[in-house]
Structure formats: structure tokens, C-alpha cells
Amino acid sequence: MVSLACGEYDSSQYYELRAAGADEYVMKFEMSQPEVFNRLNPSTSFQKRMRAIEAIQASGMALASGNIVDYPGQTLTQIAEDIHLMQTLNISWAPVIPYMPAKNTPLAEGAYPGRQELILMEISILRLSMPDVRITAQQPGAKPEEGLASWEGNLAALEAGADLLFADLLPAAQAQDFHVIDNRILLGLDHVRAIAETSDMTLRLT
């Protein structure tokens, strides 16, 4: 499967990507409340994001989409609304993740990482309500400095119902320069194999 995560494009470009062989496109809606999205994403808008999501699905590509859990000010009701949107969109993969403060951003000052118990709760709800969806198991644990390669966080997510782990195939120098979030930290296939063996899960490379 070829899965892309390249951001927002014009509608026609998604058809071009599909024609070129892309099977799935990752476009997170991040938060399902338009006013919150627009406040926290000044470079785009909720309307534009949802138009992109509609175009992805219209192109024939599967849609991977999900939310950010426990960002400052988020309520349980808003998390429930996010889950409902994932169900409505009939996603193929839920790339959900807790909030991770990033330097030099408006929410970074005084903020704490999203609580592990909330992301695990959401993972369990998604697994029960959407049994066929893939769910990101690359989750942080109690130590933010371990990033998404946290042994504790990965195992807890798998036990909660997640089933998808990543391996970083970038050369070490390039991986260090990839700053989507602070303390991203992914490890290679050895980590994924060890996690799968410890959790007694069958490993299928895609």
C-alpha cells in the first residue's frame, strides 16, 4: 500500500496522485469544531481542510484522518465529537495522537503533553466502534523525552486496541532534522519487531 501525507492540495491533484498509484492519503482534521480549528490553525481553515478531505475520498483514495487529544482547553465532549467525525468519515486509519507541546508555538508556554489515559480511552472506543480501522500504536509514554518510541507507550496503545507501528527509515542525520513535533523519535524495524514479539502480535510489514 502506498500512503501519502503531503498536506492540502487542489482537488484535481488528489486525482493525479491516485492515478499515479497512491492508495491512501493522510489528512488529519485535528479537531472537529470549526471555531477551535480556525483559532489553532491560522494557516488554513476548517472549511478548506474538510474540502480537501472530501476531494481525497472522491478521488478513490482511502482516507486516514483523526484528531489531537488533550490539547489545552479541549473537553471530553469535543473528543466525543472528534470520534463521531472519524466514524462519519469512514476512515481507513486513525492517526490519533495526544497533544505534544512544540517550542515557539502559541500553546507551548505552560502546556503539558496530552494525558496518556485519554488517548488510550479513545483508542479503545475506536477499536470497539470501528473494528476494522487501523489505529496508531506509536504513542508517547510517561517520559516525553522518549517521544513516540516509548516502549511503555507503544505497548499500552497495543493493549488498548491500536495495531499500527512505524519504523523510521530516514538516515540518522535527516531524521534529526525532521521537526514535525518536538521529541518525535521513531526507531527502526528492530524496535517494531521487539514490540510485536513482546505483545504477542503477528507482525505484517506494509
Side-chain angles (χ1 to χ4, degrees):
M1 171 181 283
V2 177
S3 184
L4 301 176
C6 305
E8 295 174 355
Y9 285 127
D10 292 333
S11 297
S12 62
Q13 292 175 293
Y14 296 117
Y15 287 89
E16 294 173 8
L17 291 171
R18 176 58 175 158
D23 303 298
E24 179 183 67
Y25 200 93
V26 184
M27 179 66 71
K28 294 179 69 169
F29 61 80
E30 298 183 347
M31 54 278 302
S32 60
Q33 302 76 33
E35 68 284 357
V36 179
F37 183 98
N38 293 338
R39 175 169 58 86
L40 298 180
N41 294 274
S43 62
T44 185
S45 69
F46 184 78
Q47 184 180 30
K48 184 178 179 183
R49 180 61 55 87
M50 294 308 296
R51 278 202 306 266
I53 284 173
E54 291 170 3
I56 290 164
Q57 292 185 304
S59 75
M61 287 189 287
L63 172 69
S65 192
N67 64 337
I68 299 171
V69 176
D70 206 22
Y71 57 82
Q74 187 185 41
T75 66
L76 291 177
T77 297
Q78 289 172 323
I79 294 176
E81 291 170 349
D82 292 348
I83 293 172
H84 178 68
L85 181 55
M86 281 183 268
Q87 295 167 341
T88 300
L89 291 173
N90 192 29
I91 57 173
S92 57
W93 162 27
V96 296
I97 194 170
Y99 171 71
M100 300 176 73
K103 296 174 184 175
N104 303 317
T105 61
L107 291 181
E109 181 129 8
Y112 296 92
R115 287 166 286 178
Q116 187 182 29
E117 59 265 31
L118 283 184
I119 189 67
L120 295 178
M121 176 188 70
E122 176 169 302
I123 288 171
S124 295
I125 292 171
L126 288 171
R127 176 55 63 220
L128 291 171
S129 62
M130 304 178 72
D132 296 325
V133 74
R134 288 172 288 140
I135 305 173
T136 298
Q138 215 92 36
Q139 302 292 345
K143 300 177 180 177
E145 64 273 14
E146 294 179 344
L148 302 179
S150 165
W151 186 269
E152 172 220 345
N154 292 182
L155 282 177
L158 289 169
E159 291 173 1
D163 61 352
L164 185 62
L165 287 164
F166 298 95
D168 198 335
L169 301 180
L170 287 172
Q174 293 183 25
Q176 291 174 2
D177 291 334
F178 190 65
H179 296 301
V180 176
I181 54 177
D182 294 343
N183 293 321
R184 177 174 174 266
I185 309 175
L186 294 177
L187 298 180
L189 282 173
D190 288 344
H191 171 77
V192 173
R193 289 192 178 99
I195 287 285
E197 182 178 346
T198 301
S199 61
D200 199 26
M201 298 185 75
T202 301
L203 183 63
R204 182 166 63 93
L205 301 179
T206 59

